[in-house]
Amino acid sequence: MPVSGELQTTTKDMVDTEASCPKCVFDRLPPEMIRFIFRKQSTDDLLQASATTDRLYRVAQHHMYASEGALLVRGGHDTAATVTRTFDVRKVTSLYLVDVFNFDRDVPRQLRRRDDNDVDVGEDSGEDVGEDSGEDVGEDSGEDVGDDSGEAGGEYCDGDDDDDDNERSDDSKSPYRTTFSALEVLHVGYGRDVNYANLPVDGLRRLLSDVRARRVCFSNVVMTADDVADAVSAMLEAHDNVDAEAVNENNYDDDDSGDGGDDGDDIDSRPPVLRCSHDRADDNRVIELMNDVERTCAGLLSEFRVTVRRPAPHAYAVYPMSRCGSAASVGDWDDTATTADAAAAVAAETPEDLLALTAADCSGLGPAAYKRLVPASRRLRRLTMKAARQIDDDGFKAIAGMPSLQHLDMEGMSDVTSDGLLNGLVSATGLQSLGLADCPYVTDDVLRRIGEMRQLRNLRLDLTDCDKTTAAGVTDMLSGCERLRELDLTLPLNADYVVAAASASHLDQLRTFRLTFERLSFQDHLDDQPTDPDWQSSLAAGFCDDVEFSVRQTFTKITVTVD
């Protein structure tokens, strides 16, 4: 590519640049080359670069605004007053907060929703904010900011035409956001790990409830399941309040114009998405957090994802919401969409660095979507899919045969036959953990195949809906699983199954055995009940002291009809 003549004029400033930041390569490059490099960088790369020097922060800030409509605010460098003097906040589609602790002062009020009951949260910033930066906005970047920002570099009010001036004068009547459109991304990140509880939680809750975003991202914010629930409740307040305002606005339009006037384009009713990223994190704690979030936030979030960047990028995702899509709905995954669109949707939702995926309700997924999941997630190790009613034999074989898969938990596979289960389990050579529930076509042959999987460490089986299994099949299965450490069995309650469960006592490596007996109805199996009134104590006595054994009876499958 031809080299611009302007590159030669920068050499005389090289000494000054190196003196300001002798270790930063970017600060020794001309502005044209920096802009070219930044065009090739992802948003994460830009955020990391912005944290190195003041000059790179200004360049990244203007580049993100000009190219993506994203507003970058770095704590200690900018406040709401300084960024609103430099950028047209009305055009912002995403907000990135880096090392920000005073959310009330540093977040522009124009991005917050309008609420008559709100206290003026910017009151404390008042005149101090105006004095905070002063000339700092352009001081660090000098002429480079103007070069990098294009039309976005200077004061936004200078370049607007008369129509825009009139528009601004109308908007200036209220400092709050007057449109119902949501931001694409609200990002809150820090250079090092910060506990969620150590942040100014009240200010953060006001931010999450006032600024509605389709996707909220936390970077290096250490959260517990309770912290996630707290953040989610604030996010839902933003959705509920804006939806209520939208309804009121539509009613006003109906009275005023006589027609509906609701095109529905600006109101996004999809549940929010929450994503967390960390430079480093303990994988076991992340998986524990994902399991807790699946239970506590069921039906509230459409997606919860945790990404760990080092030493190798990998991610964990939970879809606690019914129809487990967020950026792309399950309708896009289904066979009704074109193959190209559906494949793109699956690839977008399941990146290659994804290690664990939990989908709370897969009832909307078509059979082909399961096959497309395999090439989209080549590093997937842990997969949980519930209500997988449309998966077929080929789909289960494709998923179970993923070479990287170690933990598989499937529920509701009503269309997978016994042959499909057998073929899938034969191809599952790397599984260490297996869970099957609500799979009516499990047979004794399938149980024996599970017993041949010598590498299994954890097994969870619910056989209450499987009328093709017998106690003999359970006994054969347990005779082969010699390396099991954790066993969770749900069986119909009768004497034969009690004897079959007792055969697990020979498993030397077993440490946890959770046994559940399900009464299928008030009448079933009454002729074959255990004769020993103390059969539960006798069953527990057959296991070693180092085995955590529990047995219980449930009646959840019984339905009562009233004429």
Side-chain angles (χ1 to χ4, degrees), residues 415-427:
D415 285 347
V416 180
T417 66
S418 58
D419 290 338
L421 290 170
L422 281 172
N423 293 333
L425 294 176
V426 167
S427 62

Side-chain angles (χ1 to χ4, degrees), residues 496-556:
D496 293 337
Y497 277 111
V498 171
V499 174
S503 66
S505 59
H506 79 281
L507 300 176
D508 296 333
Q509 300 187 27
L510 189 65
R511 294 296 174 264
T512 303
F513 186 11
R514 290 182 292 271
L515 181 59
T516 302
F517 285 105
E518 181 78 40
R519 288 186 180 272
L520 298 184
S521 74
F522 289 109
Q523 300 298 326
D524 287 350
H525 308 291
L526 291 183
D527 296 334
D528 192 17
Q529 294 298 296
T531 56
D532 183 2
D534 259 350
W535 64 270
Q536 296 188 45
S537 301
S538 302
L539 184 61
F543 291 87
C544 301
D545 293 338
D546 55 355
V547 177
E548 182 183 343
F549 178 82
S550 63
V551 58
R552 65 191 183 103
Q553 298 184 51
T554 60
F555 304 87
T556 56

